[in-house]
Amino acid sequence: MKNNTFFELEGVVINTMPNATFKVKLKNGNIINAYISGKIRKNFIKIMIGDNVKVMISEYNINIGRIIHRL
């Protein structure tokens, strides 16, 4: 049984990269790599530079996140 703890933070997309990954600058100033979740991909939601997003980050690797919501 897994007990992963995730943080949900808000940030701004500052760069797009190959394979639907993005550089996101969080509100606290950190820059992380983020990929889009399956629901966003399935529903063809477009994410562009400058969009405000909500990112879910694991406590084990704080350099990679998953974009779960476009604000």
Side-chain angles (χ1 to χ4, degrees):
M1 185 166 135
K2 293 183 179 180
N3 283 336
N4 291 345
T5 305
F6 295 99
F7 303 105
E8 288 187 6
L9 300 172
E10 293 183 9
V12 178
V13 175
I14 59 171
N15 194 7
T16 60
M17 297 167 50
N19 296 329
T21 58
F22 302 91
K23 291 271 187 189
V24 176
K25 183 172 185 178
L26 301 175
K27 297 280 183 181
N28 61 11
N30 292 342
I31 297 176
I32 64 167
N33 291 329
Y35 59 93
I36 59 176
S37 68
K39 294 242 178 191
I40 292 177
R41 190 174 298 201
K42 179 180 155 188
N43 293 314
F44 301 105
I45 297 172
K46 302 295 181 196
I47 297 176
M48 295 190 261
I49 295 173
D51 285 346
N52 291 324
V53 293
K54 188 183 288 186
V55 180
M56 184 168 45
I57 301 171
S58 172
E59 66 179 6
Y60 298 111
N61 188 356
I62 59 171
N63 297 321
I64 299 174
R66 179 188 308 146
I67 298 173
I68 57 172
H69 195 264
R70 182 174 160 232
L71 302 174

